[in-house]
């Protein structure tokens, strides 16, 4: 894997985690948001990174760029994006 692909995967995962936490904490007080985020990071962040890194490992740099763009433009997380990609490839196939 190239350094570009590795960097893209790291940024995709970081942005996905941010989007996911933003959705989880959308209607909470600031103090509650902070506690929910800290708890989620403590319990889930490492597994989230490992799981998605292995899932994204096989994608080309251009496809990773598309995923990053989708995450940036929509506020969705990787589960949402990958499900959409899989369903659209199934319907095309």
């Amino acid at each position: 894997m190239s350094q570009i692909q590795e960097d893209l995967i790291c940024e995709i995962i970081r942005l996905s985690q941010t989007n996911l936490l933003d959705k989880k904490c959308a209607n909470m007080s600031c103090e509650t948001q902070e506690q929910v985020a800290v708890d989620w990071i403590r319990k889930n962040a490492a597994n989230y990174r490992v799981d998605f890194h292995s899932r994204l490992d096989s994608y080309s740099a251009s496809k990773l760029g598309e995923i990053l763009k989708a995450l940036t433009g929509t506020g969705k997380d990787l589960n949402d994006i990958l499900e959409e990609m899989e369903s659209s490839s199934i319907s095309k196939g």
Side-chain angles (χ1 to χ4, degrees):
M1 173 183 307
S2 74
Q3 186 61 48
I4 291 172
Q5 285 171 298
E6 184 65 34
D7 291 347
L8 281 167
I9 289 172
C10 289
E11 182 60 16
I12 286 167
I13 292 169
R14 184 202 63 76
L15 183 55
S16 179
Q17 287 177 322
T18 300
N19 290 350
L20 180 67
L21 287 170
D22 284 348
K23 284 193 289 188
K24 281 185 166 297
C25 300
N27 296 316
M28 298 177 181
S29 69
C30 189
E31 187 175 294
T32 304
Q33 285 179 359
E34 186 175 315
Q35 188 58 49
V36 167
V38 168
D39 288 345
W40 187 90
I41 290 167
R42 186 178 309 122
K43 296 174 185 174
N44 303 302
N47 288 335
Y48 189 93
R49 282 191 307 273
V50 169
D51 177 52
F52 279 113
H53 197 288
S54 66
R55 290 175 66 185
L56 295 170
D57 221 13
S58 62
Y59 287 94
S60 68
S62 62
K63 186 54 96 175
L64 292 170
E66 290 175 27
I67 293 169
L68 182 59
K69 183 178 179 181
L71 287 169
T72 302
T74 62
K76 295 179 180 179
D77 64 79
L78 268 170
N79 280 321
D80 299 333
I81 299 296
L82 294 179
E83 282 178 16
E84 288 173 6
M85 288 175 58
E86 290 170 7
S87 66
S88 70
S89 68
I90 291 169
S91 63
K92 290 180 183 177

